[in-house]
Amino acid sequence: MTLKKLIAQLHLWLGLSSGLVVLILGLTGAIYTFSDDIKDIVYKDRRYVSTVPNHKRLPLDTLLGIARQSLGEKHKITRAELSQDPTRSYMFRAFKINKDGTGYWNYYQYYLKVYIDPYTGKVLFKEDASKEFFTIVLALHMNLLLGDGIGHFIVQWSTVCFGLLLLSGLVLWWPKKWKRKQLKQNFAVKWNSKFKRLNYDLHNVLGFYVLFPLLIIALTGLAWSFKLTTDKKSKVLSDTTLTTKASANQILTQALAKSPKTAYFLYNFPATKSGTVNLSAYQSNTHLYDRLQYRFDQYNGKLIQTSNPMASTALSAKLVALNYDLHTGSALGLFGKLLAFFASLIAATLPVTGLIIWLKKGKKTEKPQQKHTANKIKQTKASKSIVTIY
């Protein structure tokens, strides 16, 4: 067996073993690419306030109290999304998962969101986010609705297979001779050809054109799967000798003074008694890499640590910061998101076209002349049989 035939066999069996998962990941990835844009249209009534008054927003502590009352004391608020856009609402989230739970509905103990008008304190909308469409799409993309155990494992290693499929596909696509006729076959889809040839071109040619975007998507996905994006920070703790907690508004005011041009804050409440209040100050609504990280003592409200991933001299730190934006294409703005969208759609078709190629392999389509000759031979044999009988 030649090396190319061996690679072809590898390509085949990797495709058959991971094809269904790749199909699901491609479709869900394409849908989720523009999730925020779609939410701004579909969920406009909850994400935006009806009118912007002349007075300032209510203190964060007041809004936090309203959110707690709305969600119930049994549901601990873990995060708040605080947009600095005067037309946007504030969102408070109560979130708790069971990492050992198998299946989607056993994974969330609760996942609730409440949207509040920051000027009036009016509750705009309260939702069970575990039933929200894009939450389900994301869970399907990350763990196939099977939970972190089984589902994450399947997605993780299917992504590894997909990366190898892309590389082996490039080897199989590579022209034997870089001549005009050969290059035309490798770079152009023959749209007026018969189904078998058209299907082959859709797999071979389109697969080549999205190869490099899909490699980036696969590699950034693997960085999450194998936890290569976890920031290694020094252990910073709050002063547990104190008992009274700092005002949430006091902490937010400090962060806003440090970064007045922030587009929105993610205010993460401490999970433990010694934990810190972590604020991510995103400088843009369109990408995540441009952000400042603040850590505050939850008791005295003092700023303990500040970090800017993109200001780091280490290339690895910058790649970690860029990981999500590279994965979704938002690092390149609208063009990058469109590229990621179409690449993901084509990725979803590759297992289908590849399976058809395998099923139709060896089944040659007869030309009209060949078919006519074959029918003539059959008729002659039939005539001879009749003569023999009589």
Side-chain angles (χ1 to χ4, degrees):
M1 183 177 288
T2 64
L3 179 60
K4 199 161 187 177
K5 285 184 178 179
L6 185 64
I7 291 173
Q9 286 295 309
L10 176 69
H11 190 82
L12 169 64
W13 291 108
L14 286 175
L16 290 174
S17 60
S18 65
L20 180 59
V21 179
V22 171
L23 171 63
I24 293 170
L25 295 182
L27 289 176
T28 53
I31 293 170
Y32 203 79
T33 301
F34 288 98
S35 59
D36 286 334
D37 306 88
I38 297 170
K39 285 178 185 178
D40 278 346
I41 298 171
V42 179
Y43 302 150
K44 186 177 180 180
D45 291 343
R46 72 188 75 164
R47 290 166 72 89
Y48 291 88
V49 298
S50 55
T51 56
V52 181
N54 294 326
H55 60 81
K56 294 182 178 179
R57 298 180 181 91
L58 295 173
L60 181 56
D61 295 280
T62 302
L63 297 170
L64 183 58
I66 296 170
R68 283 175 176 153
Q69 186 178 4
S70 176
L71 296 177
E73 293 298 325
K74 291 182 180 179
H75 303 124
K76 184 180 178 182
I77 292 178
T78 54
R79 173 183 288 183
E81 186 175 315
L82 313 172
S83 175
Q84 297 308 293
D85 181 342
T87 65
R88 295 292 292 265
S89 63
Y90 278 7
M91 186 277 288
F92 296 85
R93 183 184 83 174
F95 179 78
K96 189 176 182 181
I97 60 171
N98 177 16
K99 289 189 176 182
D100 298 324
T102 302
Y104 182 74
W105 302 113
N106 295 322
Y107 181 70
Y108 291 109
Q109 291 189 31
Y110 56 81
Y111 187 10
L112 306 174
K113 289 182 180 180
V114 60
Y115 296 83
I116 298 176
D117 185 325
Y119 300 101
T120 64
K122 178 185 176 181
V123 174
L124 300 175
F125 193 82
K126 177 184 171 182
E127 72 173 354
D128 182 351
S130 65
K131 297 177 182 178
E132 193 268 332
F133 174 75
F134 287 106
T135 302
I136 296 173
V137 168
L138 182 61
L140 190 59
H141 187 75
M142 296 182 71
N143 55 44
L144 306 176
L145 304 182
L146 297 174
D148 272 352
I150 299 172
H152 180 78
F153 178 84
I154 295 172
V155 169
Q156 184 181 49
W157 288 103
S158 293
T159 308
V160 172
C161 290
F162 184 58
L164 293 174
L165 280 166
L166 291 172
L167 295 174
S168 58
L170 178 62
V171 174
L172 297 175
W173 170 90
W174 200 264
K176 291 180 180 179
K177 296 179 181 179
W178 287 78
K179 293 184 177 181
R180 186 176 179 180
K181 187 177 179 180
Q182 182 69 49
L183 293 177
K184 189 177 180 181
Q185 291 179 357
N186 284 51
F187 283 99
V189 176
K190 195 175 181 181
W191 296 104
N192 60 349
S193 60
K194 292 185 178 180
F195 175 75
K196 185 176 179 181
R197 172 59 192 273
L198 178 61
N199 180 76
Y200 177 81
D201 282 353
L202 290 174
H203 186 83
N204 199 45
V205 179
L206 295 187
F208 169 75
Y209 281 123
V210 295
L211 173 70
F212 295 105
L214 289 179
L215 270 176
I216 292 173
I217 291 172
L219 290 173
T220 50
L222 288 173
W224 269 316
S225 295
F226 289 98
K227 303 187 186 302
L228 301 178
T229 61
T230 305
D231 295 327
K232 295 180 180 179
K233 297 178 179 177
S234 57
K235 195 71 172 177
V236 178
L237 302 173
S238 294
D239 185 358
T240 54
T241 60
L242 304 174
T243 54
T244 305
K245 291 190 176 182
S247 160
N249 201 63
Q250 173 194 349
I251 292 174
L252 178 62
T253 302
Q254 289 184 70
L256 193 55
K258 291 281 185 182
S259 51
K261 294 183 179 180
T262 295
Y264 67 97
F265 291 97
L266 284 187
Y267 190 116
N268 294 287
F269 297 89
T272 62
K273 290 183 178 180
S274 60
T276 57
V277 175
N278 300 333
L279 260 73
S280 298
Y282 292 93
Q283 305 304 295
S284 170
N285 285 309
T286 57
H287 49 253
L288 302 186
Y289 66 83
D290 189 8
R291 66 181 184 271
L292 301 169
Q293 306 284 143
Y294 300 113
R295 304 184 77 181
F296 293 88
D297 187 301
Q298 65 172 300
Y299 298 103
N300 59 33
K302 290 182 179 179
L303 179 61
I304 304 173
Q305 187 181 76
T306 303
S307 62
N308 181 355
M310 293 305 292
S312 173
T313 56
L315 179 61
S316 58
K318 291 182 178 180
L319 288 175
V320 167
L322 278 165
N323 195 78
Y324 177 84
D325 297 289
L326 289 172
H327 190 71
T328 60
S330 59
L332 298 177
L334 179 60
F335 169 77
K337 291 176 75 171
L338 286 170
L339 183 62
F341 173 77
F342 287 110
S344 297
L345 280 183
I346 292 172
T349 69
L350 294 178
V352 179
T353 53
L355 179 63
I356 293 171
I357 290 171
W358 178 59
L359 291 175
K360 290 201 172 276
K361 189 177 181 181
K363 295 180 180 180
K364 295 183 179 180
T365 305
E366 290 184 326
K367 293 181 180 179
Q369 184 63 35
Q370 291 175 331
K371 193 173 182 180
H372 175 72
T373 304
N375 289 336
K376 204 167 183 181
I377 292 169
K378 286 180 182 178
Q379 288 174 4
T380 304
K381 286 183 178 180
S383 300
K384 287 181 178 179
S385 298
I386 292 170
V387 171
T388 305
I389 292 170
Y390 287 98

